[in-house]
Amino acid sequence: GKYMSNFKDIADTFLKNKAAIQVADKEELERVLKDILSREDLRQSLGENARAVVERNRGAVERTIEEIKKSTSGLWRRHF
């Protein structure tokens, strides 16, 4: 739906990688769900694409923390 502001970056990544489908209203949701349920190829591609997005982003928090530590290591020694 349109209310994804609290996880916009994640949603955008899934949408860009064809790992999710965004719908605008309940009628479109019903249509998309019927399509997904009736098409094995669509279920397969959405699942594979979603798994790939998750795998590519696995460990992102840890990598970010390490970068922060590297860039601020001297800062802590100077102030404390």
Side-chain angles (χ1 to χ4, degrees):
K2 59 184 177 181
Y3 302 105
M4 298 190 299
S5 60
N6 59 336
F7 53 96
K8 183 179 180 347
D9 292 339
I10 295 168
D12 287 345
T13 299
F14 274 81
L15 291 169
K16 255 188 263 180
N17 287 279
K18 299 184 188 311
I21 300 170
Q22 185 173 8
V23 297
D25 54 38
K26 65 182 181 179
E27 289 80 13
E28 187 177 11
L29 174 61
E30 184 177 342
R31 191 173 66 252
V32 167
L33 283 175
K34 285 180 182 177
D35 196 29
I36 291 170
L37 291 172
S38 67
R39 292 186 45 204
E40 184 175 349
D41 64 315
L42 181 55
R43 290 192 308 273
Q44 185 77 26
S45 68
L46 284 169
E48 288 172 0
N49 294 343
R51 178 173 284 133
V53 168
V54 170
E55 288 298 322
R56 277 195 306 274
N57 289 284
R58 184 166 293 197
V61 170
E62 291 81 5
R63 289 190 302 272
T64 301
I65 290 170
E66 286 306 312
E67 287 302 315
I68 291 170
K69 284 179 180 178
K70 285 181 200 174
S71 64
T72 60
S73 64
L75 179 68
W76 294 110
R77 283 189 288 264
R78 286 182 293 214
H79 293 298
F80 299 103

